[in-house]
Amino acid sequence: MPTIEHLTERTPHVSPEDLLDGFKPSYRFGDVSFDSYIPDPNQPSQSAAVTKLREFAESMAPAGGGFLGKLFGKSKKPAKAGLYLDGGFGVGKTHLLASLWHAAPGPKAFGTFVEYTNLVGALSFRKTVDVLKGYRLVCIDEFELDDPGDTVLMSRLMRELSDAGVRLVATSNTLPGSLGDGRFAASDFKREIQVLADQFDVVRVDGEDYRHRGLPEAPAAFDDGVIESFAAERFPDKTIAVDDFAALSEHLQRVHPSRYRQLIDGIDVLVLHNVTTITEQALALRFVVLADRLYDRDVPIVASGALFSDLFTPEMMSGGYMKKYYRAVSRLTALARNGQLAEPVS
């Protein structure tokens, strides 16, 4: 029989050390390497990106006769503090970033853009800077600026880390000089955006999305009365979190997003009763973070109520945070297809 838990009964208390311990690639990218990245022969920028990142890792090797020094030899330090991997969805940028993290000497951190902004919220800006200044490498996945506050925050953080000698590598599908375009009055923050752009050498990663185009089709709605028995039969001997969507929504607003990783720690399957469309932006953004953490751990979902394709309002799906919402819908739908149709998560 499965073990039943409720996320609404969990209030994780996380120390700064525990938070920072989570800044590493998810198990999905736990064993990747430059060798396991297969460049598309029709896209020469992919092979060029691998070479550039290998050289970047080599430039971080300790001088002298240590193992890494012997392995990599002496390399010229790049002119700028970091690299910026620019390319579309599904071309393997996260794979490359995680490969660099695995190849580079530590101490080092790997997290999404949202995780770093949440870290500042949990620790304070000055504490975050003081901690990350002790790292040799900071990797930022899915770099995206959605509002003026994040622009100022991340420009200050990157500038201080760069001045301290920390190497920076980021991925995004928006060139650094174009961050914020279409989301807010980017021209009003041109100086801060330029500060960000000045930290990076841009590396293009062209190619076709290796995943299917567009959003995956949501599985048919489940009868609310059967989802728990279905999950118990389908996932025997697993730990299943069973929660009402409305109650979980309220609970998420009381738990800092930086703790969502610990909130779902040990959960194998999520059962959600009576999903409804989210109409409040603050809650919607918290669900984006939850979706990312669930996806990191491949947690299958069995749900009733509204389909995840209807989780956010049409206005949200066409507004300034649309990229975040599309990513969340895509990931939650993939997890629902896995939970309800046994379809592997890509």
Side-chain angles (χ1 to χ4, degrees):
M1 291 291 292
T3 300
I4 303 299
E5 295 199 20
H6 306 284
L7 297 183
T8 52
E9 296 177 357
R10 291 181 162 202
T11 306
H13 297 283
V14 185
S15 69
E17 293 74 20
D18 290 335
L19 280 178
L20 291 165
D21 187 57
F23 276 75
K24 56 190 174 185
S26 67
Y27 89 94
R28 179 186 294 271
F29 295 101
D31 297 317
V32 298
S33 67
F34 293 129
D35 289 336
S36 65
Y37 180 83
I38 309 300
D40 184 342
N42 297 315
Q43 301 291 345
S45 66
Q46 294 186 8
S47 294
V50 173
T51 299
K52 186 78 172 180
L53 286 166
R54 284 187 188 274
E55 292 174 349
F56 193 90
E58 291 169 8
S59 73
M60 296 184 63
F67 173 76
L68 286 175
K70 293 178 179 178
L71 177 63
F72 291 127
K74 293 184 179 180
S75 299
K76 183 179 179 181
K77 183 177 180 179
K80 294 190 177 183
L83 300 178
Y84 191 98
L85 306 184
D86 174 66
F89 295 105
V91 296
K93 301 188 301 297
T94 300
H95 185 137
L96 289 171
L97 186 66
S99 298
L100 171 66
W101 187 90
H102 288 300
K108 51 195 174 181
F110 182 106
T112 64
F113 174 84
V114 172
E115 286 182 294
Y116 285 105
T117 58
N118 286 337
L119 183 66
V120 172
L123 299 184
S124 80
F125 179 82
R126 183 47 49 196
K127 177 64 174 178
T128 301
V129 171
D130 290 343
V131 170
L132 294 181
K133 280 169 62 174
Y135 285 56
R136 299 190 64 186
L137 173 68
V138 169
C139 296
I140 310 164
D141 199 20
E142 299 172 354
F143 204 111
E144 188 61 68
L145 299 183
D146 297 304
D147 58 52
D150 282 348
T151 303
V152 175
L153 171 69
M154 292 305 291
S155 66
R156 285 184 59 202
L157 182 63
M158 296 299 97
R159 181 170 61 247
E160 295 207 25
L161 294 181
S162 177
D163 289 346
V166 180
R167 310 295 290 281
L168 311 169
V169 183
T171 73
S172 181
N173 53 20
T174 306
L175 286 169
S178 300
L179 288 167
D181 284 358
R183 296 161 185 77
F184 57 89
S187 60
D188 295 340
F189 295 87
K190 187 173 181 61
R191 183 179 66 83
E192 283 81 3
I193 293 171
Q194 189 58 49
V195 167
L196 284 170
D198 287 344
Q199 309 301 319
F200 301 104
D201 280 324
V202 176
V203 178
R204 282 290 304 172
V205 186
D206 299 306
E208 295 296 318
D209 190 338
Y210 73 90
R211 300 165 296 201
H212 44 267
R213 291 286 181 178
L215 292 175
E217 182 179 352
F222 251 111
D223 185 322
D224 188 66
V226 304
I227 59 173
E228 290 189 41
S229 59
F230 175 88
E233 182 178 348
R234 171 114 201 275
F235 301 100
D237 304 320
K238 298 292 185 180
T239 298
I240 302 176
V242 178
D243 287 278
D244 178 76
F245 183 81
L248 180 59
S249 297
E250 290 185 11
H251 189 61
L252 290 180
Q253 298 182 80
R254 296 191 293 268
V255 178
H256 194 275
S258 64
R259 301 177 180 178
Y260 288 2
R261 188 187 306 275
Q262 288 75 22
L263 180 68
I264 65 169
D265 187 39
I267 298 299
D268 300 314
V269 182
L270 175 60
V271 172
L272 276 179
H273 286 281
N274 301 311
V275 174
T276 59
T277 299
I278 297 172
T279 58
E280 297 178 7
Q281 189 114 274
L283 175 59
L285 291 173
R286 285 175 178 262
F287 250 92
V288 169
V289 179
L290 180 64
D292 288 340
R293 302 291 78 77
L294 292 168
Y295 185 79
D296 284 345
R297 299 194 176 189
D298 278 348
V299 177
I301 297 176
V302 180
S304 66
L307 303 180
F308 286 123
S309 54
D310 298 320
L311 183 61
F312 307 111
T313 67
E315 291 76 17
M316 291 177 181
M317 296 295 287
S318 60
Y321 297 101
M322 61 181 295
K323 287 185 179 179
K324 292 180 184 293
Y325 295 142
Y326 269 94
R327 184 179 77 240
V329 169
S330 177
R331 290 181 169 184
L332 290 170
T333 299
L335 295 175
R337 293 183 66 87
N338 177 246
Q340 297 171 206
L341 304 176
E343 181 177 292
V345 177
S346 61

